[in-house]
Amino acid sequence: MPKGRPNTMNNYGVLLNELGMDETFITPLREKYLQPITALLYPDLGGACLDSHKAFVVKYSLHEDLDLSSHYDNAEVTLNVSLGKDFTEGNLYFGDFSQEPTPVPKYIEIEHVVAQGLLHRGGQIHGALPIASGERWNLIIWMRSSVIRNQLCPMCNKKPELVEAEGFGDGFKPLTMC
């Protein structure tokens, strides 16, 4: 089976499209359940028009990835669900929207409770503090809107040049009308 890294910052985990879960699980979850919520909470980020995603599971443990440094996501809206195992510490933290990734001068800390999810703006600076013991697994869904990102790339703040890609690519695709 192919195995890509979940993203450029996490070393341990799996891309759910490699397991065949995009069309059978993640796409219906995004379209039927998450999109109505994001349409209400994030209308300015294309919450009603989230037409693609990247979904992956990441793993944190004492002898692998302990934490995740300050970053923002390649997404308009992110869902982060704590899948569990037993762990201590490892809270999430959030800074301002679109500030420089490091250092984060002021932030709020959120306890990440097993079986609970957290929706947030992909452009909001955030990270995960180190776990002190155990093992933590998280489901991450980066939800994207071609209506938003075809106007301005969220990573480089320039008008994108579209190229063919497999699957959802990075969410740039022919415009989908909402």
Side-chain angles (χ1 to χ4, degrees):
M1 273 179 67
K3 184 188 179 311
R5 281 178 60 186
N7 58 57
T8 59
M9 296 182 75
N10 291 98
N11 294 302
Y12 302 94
V14 64
L15 294 161
L16 295 184
N17 68 320
E18 292 181 350
L19 301 178
M21 296 181 76
D22 264 355
E23 295 305 316
T24 58
F25 177 59
I26 303 297
T27 296
L29 175 67
R30 174 177 46 84
E31 292 175 348
K32 292 180 183 178
Y33 302 102
L34 298 174
Q35 203 161 311
I37 297 167
T38 59
L40 292 172
L41 297 176
Y42 305 106
D44 57 321
L45 298 176
C49 303
L50 298 172
D51 54 7
S52 68
H53 62 264
K54 179 177 181 177
F56 49 94
V57 173
V58 293
K59 175 187 174 189
Y60 298 90
S61 69
L62 293 181
H63 302 292
E64 298 176 338
D65 289 336
L66 282 175
D67 60 6
L68 189 60
S69 62
S70 300
H71 67 283
Y72 53 90
D73 299 335
N74 185 357
E76 278 66 59
V77 179
T78 297
L79 174 65
N80 183 335
V81 180
S82 179
L83 299 176
K85 295 248 178 170
D86 291 322
F87 62 92
T88 58
E89 303 295 327
N91 288 341
L92 303 177
Y93 63 89
F94 291 86
D96 291 333
F97 187 65
S98 293
Q99 74 184 43
E100 288 298 314
T102 53
V104 178
K106 293 190 311 187
Y107 63 86
I108 60 167
E109 199 171 309
I110 306 291
E111 183 180 359
H112 208 20
V113 179
V114 174
Q116 291 186 9
L118 179 69
L119 274 173
H120 66 87
R121 294 172 177 265
Q124 184 170 10
I125 197 73
H126 61 283
L129 297 170
I131 62 169
S133 66
E135 193 173 284
R136 183 176 86 195
W137 292 78
N138 294 80
L139 166 65
I140 310 294
I141 305 176
W142 288 349
M143 294 175 277
R144 299 161 168 165
S145 169
S146 61
V147 171
I148 298 295
R149 60 185 42 225
N150 283 0
Q151 295 173 29
L152 188 69
C153 173
M155 304 307 284
C156 69
N157 290 318
K158 296 179 183 172
K159 182 158 179 60
E161 293 181 27
L162 302 182
V163 295
E164 289 291 322
E166 260 187 58
F168 290 126
D170 275 332
F172 301 98
K173 61 187 209 172
L175 286 177
T176 302
M177 302 314 282
C178 297

